[in-house]
């Protein structure tokens, strides 16, 4: 069965500093991987996804994630964060052919000036 | 350009009361889902539907029922609310299966408190 572990529950970071959010998944078959962001009092929005091809995927607002099959990881990074990046971030996995998306517990990123 | 709309946004119930949460999507998506979000536990799938007239159980279905009578609507019912059902409920939809790479589109959530 598919599952996701986000290794950090809270990540405080200063504005313009880099940030990395760690995500490991477990599955016995091939998977699709997603990162979602949730701003306060809102629903989740897709940040980026890995389907196939290049293992490095990017979002339009400067985030990137790298799929590492051997380490079963899909860590999210941003080289320089803004105050507006303060949010909760969720890693999610779906096995090929599955109807279900499994989420990690989430990582709260707080960006301070 | 509404996307996924959930009603109501907030609700307070007494133990034993019943209620229905409504989810509507205007993207002609086949798949719809109900999740609950609890602190430190991420989102857990309650029920889902792969098309009009179909429903299936997710990870935490006990105490909930669902119906998908129309393609655009997915209803979540609580027949006898319990304090353990205090949570934020999210509806989502997708054009295809997540296992085919389709991402979910989420509503803004319903915050339910059961006293």
């Amino acid at each position: 069965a598919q599952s996701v572990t986000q290794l950090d529950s809270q990540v405080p970071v200063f504005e313009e500093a880099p940030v990395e959010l760690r995500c490991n998944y477990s599955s016995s078959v091939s998977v699709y991987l997603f990162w979602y962001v949730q701003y306060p009092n809102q629903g989740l929005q897709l940040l980026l996804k890995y389907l196939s091809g290049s293992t490095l995927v990017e979002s339009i607002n400067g985030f990137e994630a790298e799929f590492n099959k051997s380490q079963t990881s899909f860590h999210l990074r941003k080289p320089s964060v803004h105050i507006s990046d303060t949010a909760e971030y969720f890693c999610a996995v779906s096995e090929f052919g599955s109807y279900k998306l499994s989420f990690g517990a989430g990582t709260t990123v707080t960006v301070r000036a | 350009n509404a996307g996924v709309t959930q009603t109501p946004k907030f609700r307070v119930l007494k133990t034993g009361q019943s209620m229905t949460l409504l989810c509507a999507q205007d993207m002609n998506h086949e798949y719809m889902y109900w999740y609950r979000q609890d602190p430190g536990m991420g989102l857990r799938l309650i029920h889902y539907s792969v098309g009009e007239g179909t429903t299936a159980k997710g990870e935490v279905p006990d105490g909930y029922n669902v119906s998908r009578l129309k393609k655009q609507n997915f209803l979540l019912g609580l027949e006898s609310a319990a304090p353990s059902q205090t949570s934020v409920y999210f509806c989502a939809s997708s054009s295809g299966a997540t296992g085919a790479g389709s991402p979910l589109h989420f509503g803004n959530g319903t915050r339910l408190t059961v006293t």
Side-chain angles (χ1 to χ4, degrees), chain B residues 2 7 15 20 23 26 41 44 53 57 60 65-66 73 82 98 103 115:
Chain B
T7 53
T15 297
T20 299
C23 176
D26 62 2
M41 302 187 75
R44 292 179 291 167
K57 293 180 180 180
V60 288
N65 56 75
V66 288
N73 295 338
T98 53
T115 61

Side-chain angles (χ1 to χ4, degrees), chain A residues 20 23 25 60 72 77 94 96-97:
Chain A
E20 178 180 75
C23 170
Y25 69 92
I60 57 172
T72 60
R77 303 182 184 93
S94 186
F96 279 16

Side-chain angles (χ1 to χ4, degrees), chain A residues 2 32 34 36 38 41-46 49 51 88 90 93-106, chain B residues 31 33 35 37 40-43 45 48 50 57-59 90 97-109 111:
Chain A
Q2 60 196 37
Y32 293 117
F34 305 81
Y36 285 83
Q38 184 180 31
N41 299 313
Q42 294 186 26
L44 280 72
Q45 304 171 31
L46 179 69
K49 61 184 178 182
L51 302 184
E88 189 161 20
F90 293 93
V93 64
S94 186
E95 293 178 338
F96 279 16
S98 172
Y99 297 124
K100 301 178 185 179
L101 187 64
S102 297
F103 286 85
Chain B
Y31 298 76
Y33 312 80
Y35 283 88
Q37 181 180 28
M41 302 187 75
L43 280 77
L45 183 63
Y48 64 99
V50 301
K57 293 180 180 180
E59 303 170 70
F90 285 99
T98 53
S102 293
L104 299 187
H105 298 258
F106 283 87
N108 284 332
R111 187 174 295 274

Side-chain angles (χ1 to χ4, degrees), chain B residues 4 6 31-32 49 53 68 88 90 98 103 107-108:
Chain B
V4 178
Q6 292 183 233
Y31 298 76
M32 297 188 74
S49 168
R68 183 105 181 262
V88 181
F90 285 99
T98 53
N108 284 332

Side-chain angles (χ1 to χ4, degrees), chain A residues 3 12 21 31 36 39-40 46 48 61 64-65 70-71 78 80 86 89 92 95 99 103 107 109:
Chain A
S3 67
L21 310 183
V31 298
Y36 285 83
Y39 299 105
L46 179 69
L48 47 76
N61 56 354
E64 63 180 29
S70 63
Q71 297 189 3
K78 189 170 185 179
S80 176
T86 293
Y89 293 80
E95 293 178 338
Y99 297 124
F103 286 85
T107 299
V109 174

